[in-house]
Amino acid sequence: IQHEDGDSFLENPLLKKYPDKLTQLWSGKPPIKHKVRGVSLEAKDARCSFGMRIQPKIFYPFLIRTDRKTFVLGLWPRAIAVCYDPAKFNEPSIVLPLPSGVPGLNPLHDRLRVLLARARERSSNGEVARQPLALDDSAAAFMVELKYRIKQWGSEYDDIEEARDRAWENTLRLGAVFHVMCGAQELITLEMVQRAWDIVEWSLSQHRKIFVQAIASPSAAPKSVLSLTPVQVASKARPAQDAQLLKEWIEKVTDRQGDDWV
């Protein structure tokens, strides 16, 4: 089902009244029960995927109007988010050229044909059970370490804790997608989950822009106060935020200088 109108999607009853149903569908928690026009429906082993492209001018007011409730309920934090809003966030343009010898999208199309043919064959044979995927030892060790690292973040991502709490699961899901699309190994390899984590970790910074910074109430400029006392330093170090600020300043400086890469 493809829905083209972002505004009516945000305003439809499914998102306004039953966003937990969308979350259940995405997570595949059986059974999913719902009543439509007095008829009780139940879906077993259901799944769905969302691909959303929402313009900031209609999305920010929706978030403010709902007081971030739709974010807290869990549908948006499960997404890999990208924020493109030059009016609010000055982002340098980064172009990553394809390696030489890569024939465009042809390998992707070939792989999709193979997967669709396999799905059609399984359907015609009445095979409805899902095929489980497994991690190899290196990938499994990486995921165990990643879970520990995320727990050590503490309050670092409290402003987007719903997205932080889904980061590990999203990494596993995306790594599995990469594995299926590449189709070279029987087990999910370390490379697949590492590449997935690179994207998910970057996505957390995008969640912060969309769901925190972009909709924050404008604060008054602080008054200039002459003080002879030493400046107090925050009691708790925040290395991840400091590193993000440093990274953004480096990007701005290099972009201003016209450099092609950071």
Side-chain angles (χ1 to χ4, degrees):
I1 299 173
Q2 183 163 322
H3 200 299
E4 296 288 353
D5 189 346
D7 187 43
S8 60
F9 171 75
L10 293 174
E11 295 295 339
N12 73 38
L14 186 60
L15 193 66
K16 292 177 71 175
K17 296 181 180 179
Y18 311 106
D20 58 313
K21 298 300 179 185
L22 295 175
T23 303
Q24 282 182 291
L25 275 170
W26 190 91
S27 299
K29 294 181 180 179
I32 299 171
K33 298 180 179 179
H34 192 54
K35 182 174 286 189
V36 179
R37 295 179 181 176
V39 179
S40 296
L41 304 175
E42 183 175 306
K44 297 180 180 179
D45 198 25
R47 290 289 196 284
C48 71
S49 297
F50 297 93
M52 294 168 287
R53 183 177 62 193
I54 299 178
Q55 294 169 311
K57 287 186 178 180
I58 62 173
F59 191 47
Y60 297 156
F62 173 80
L63 285 176
I64 295 170
R65 192 162 61 250
T66 58
D67 194 25
R68 296 181 75 247
K69 290 178 182 176
T70 49
F71 181 70
V72 175
L73 278 169
L75 174 61
W76 305 115
R78 285 171 164 81
I80 304 296
V82 181
C83 178
Y84 178 74
D85 187 356
K88 286 184 178 291
F89 305 107
N90 182 24
E91 291 278 353
S93 58
I94 301 175
V95 179
L96 300 177
L98 283 174
S100 59
V102 176
L105 293 175
N106 291 335
L108 174 63
H109 292 168
D110 293 340
R111 180 60 180 163
L112 287 173
R113 288 191 185 97
V114 172
L115 292 172
L116 288 171
R118 185 182 303 171
R120 189 163 52 246
E121 181 182 356
R122 284 172 52 81
S123 178
S124 62
N125 293 336
E127 300 178 41
V128 295
R130 296 183 178 276
Q131 293 181 318
L133 299 174
L135 301 164
D136 69 16
D137 291 342
S138 298
F142 175 86
M143 294 305 297
V144 171
E145 180 187 0
L146 178 60
K147 182 173 289 188
Y148 174 79
R149 282 171 55 190
I150 292 175
K151 285 183 178 180
Q152 298 309 303
W153 280 344
S155 60
E156 192 63 44
Y157 283 92
D158 276 353
D159 51 353
I160 51 167
E161 62 176 329
E162 294 82 11
R164 176 199 64 198
D165 294 344
R166 298 290 181 271
W168 189 89
E169 179 186 355
N170 278 348
T171 302
L172 190 61
R173 283 175 175 267
L174 193 58
V177 171
F178 288 166
H179 167 76
V180 170
M181 293 310 301
C182 294
Q185 306 288 336
E186 290 186 9
L187 301 176
I188 302 175
T189 63
L190 175 62
E191 180 187 10
M192 298 296 103
V193 291
Q194 283 179 328
R195 288 177 180 268
W197 171 240
D198 287 342
I199 294 174
V200 172
E201 185 179 26
W202 170 79
S203 174
L204 288 176
S205 69
Q206 306 299 295
H207 273 93
R208 178 169 280 147
K209 287 181 178 180
I210 299 169
F211 298 99
V212 179
Q213 297 172 355
I215 62 174
S217 300
S219 56
K223 296 181 180 179
S224 177
V225 178
L226 180 63
S227 174
L228 300 178
T229 58
V231 176
Q232 291 184 346
V233 180
S235 58
K236 187 172 182 179
R238 307 180 68 149
Q241 287 192 353
D242 292 343
Q244 182 64 29
L245 286 171
L246 177 61
K247 176 176 173 291
E248 291 176 358
W249 273 107
I250 292 174
E251 288 176 347
K252 288 179 181 178
V253 170
T254 52
D255 183 48
R256 205 171 296 148
Q257 293 176 347
D259 291 338
D260 292 333
W261 56 274
V262 177

